[in-house]
Amino acid sequence: ARLTGRAGKFSVGALNIQTGDSPAAGAAATNFSVVRVKRDFLRRSTFGVIATRRSASLDAEGANTAFGLDANLAFFANLHINSYYALTRTPGVSGDDRSYRAQLDYAGDRYGLQVEHLAVGEHFRPEVGFLRREDFRRSFAQARFSPRPTAIKAIRKFGYEASFDYVTNGRRRLETREAQLTFRSEFQNGDRF
């Protein structure tokens, strides 16, 4: 069963799926439910809530549930702040079962800046959905300068970028560290070098 639609400034989505029992595949009958409500505010901003439930957890006896809050704030034409906070509940699994993200993105034509922090706890288990990586913290920063030279007719824009990506596990031990410097030229015909 699926329900989607709008009610004034609210967007609503609900989904319920019941699977059958398949002993040959090792799959028990399972119910999956998702409810999402999002509200528009200001001109281009939203905030929302989501809840998911899987009746038969993959990791434990009982149901797995997840709850989340998110906000997408758009200020002016180029400034965006995106964030979420989510937690999961699985019987018999306790500890760091939350995930959160905060990102600031300024995407102007001449200057750009992006700063992000993302955390996924060791026991964060959204069993309705997908999780690329478990138990990590990521901090990322990127700055960009993109002048449009008027003296060189063939060039639309130059791009100078610097970024730093720092990823640790839940115990704050370094897993990945990457620093990059990039230069690009964008030509009037859309080609890039």
Side-chain angles (χ1 to χ4, degrees):
R2 179 179 69 178
L3 169 71
T4 60
R6 292 191 62 84
K9 293 188 176 201
F10 290 90
S11 297
V12 179
L15 179 69
N16 186 275
I17 298 172
Q18 179 66 46
T19 64
D21 198 21
S22 178
T30 305
N31 182 267
F32 298 86
S33 300
V34 179
V35 175
R36 168 82 167 140
V37 177
K38 182 173 71 169
R39 186 183 192 286
D40 299 333
F41 71 102
L42 299 176
R43 287 180 40 187
R44 298 177 300 127
S45 299
T46 63
F47 66 87
V49 296
I50 190 168
T52 69
R53 182 176 186 274
R54 180 184 177 130
S55 66
S57 172
L58 295 170
D59 294 332
E61 294 293 323
N64 169 270
T65 55
F67 307 96
L69 304 168
D70 62 90
N72 180 3
L73 310 174
F75 302 103
F76 310 107
N78 302 317
L79 181 62
H80 300 273
I81 299 173
N82 299 302
S83 63
Y84 78 81
Y85 181 86
L87 54 91
T88 59
R89 295 289 185 252
T90 307
V93 178
S94 62
D96 192 4
D97 58 0
R98 62 194 172 112
S99 176
Y100 56 88
R101 174 182 180 231
Q103 178 190 41
L104 178 133
D105 190 7
Y106 176 77
D109 182 57
R110 189 171 178 92
Y111 300 101
L113 176 67
Q114 186 179 82
V115 180
E116 176 187 35
H117 182 71
L118 170 65
V120 175
E122 180 180 9
H123 297 291
F124 181 71
R125 303 229 189 324
E127 293 186 24
V128 176
F130 175 71
L131 186 62
R132 284 191 319 195
R133 189 172 180 174
E134 297 176 354
D135 191 26
F136 75 98
R137 308 286 182 270
R138 177 181 186 240
S139 297
F140 175 79
Q142 180 182 56
R144 175 183 49 81
F145 175 58
S146 304
R148 294 179 179 269
T150 56
I152 308 171
K153 299 292 184 204
I155 302 291
R156 179 181 298 164
K157 186 189 321 188
F158 289 126
Y160 304 90
E161 289 182 8
S163 66
F164 187 69
D165 200 356
Y166 191 83
V167 180
T168 65
N169 64 19
R171 292 172 300 286
R172 308 280 196 246
R173 295 194 65 189
L174 179 64
E175 290 187 350
T176 305
R177 177 178 49 214
E178 181 178 4
Q180 287 188 25
L181 294 174
T182 306
F183 170 76
R184 10 182 111 81
S185 298
E186 183 178 334
F187 297 94
Q188 294 293 352
N189 66 2
D191 289 346
R192 294 181 182 177
F193 172 76

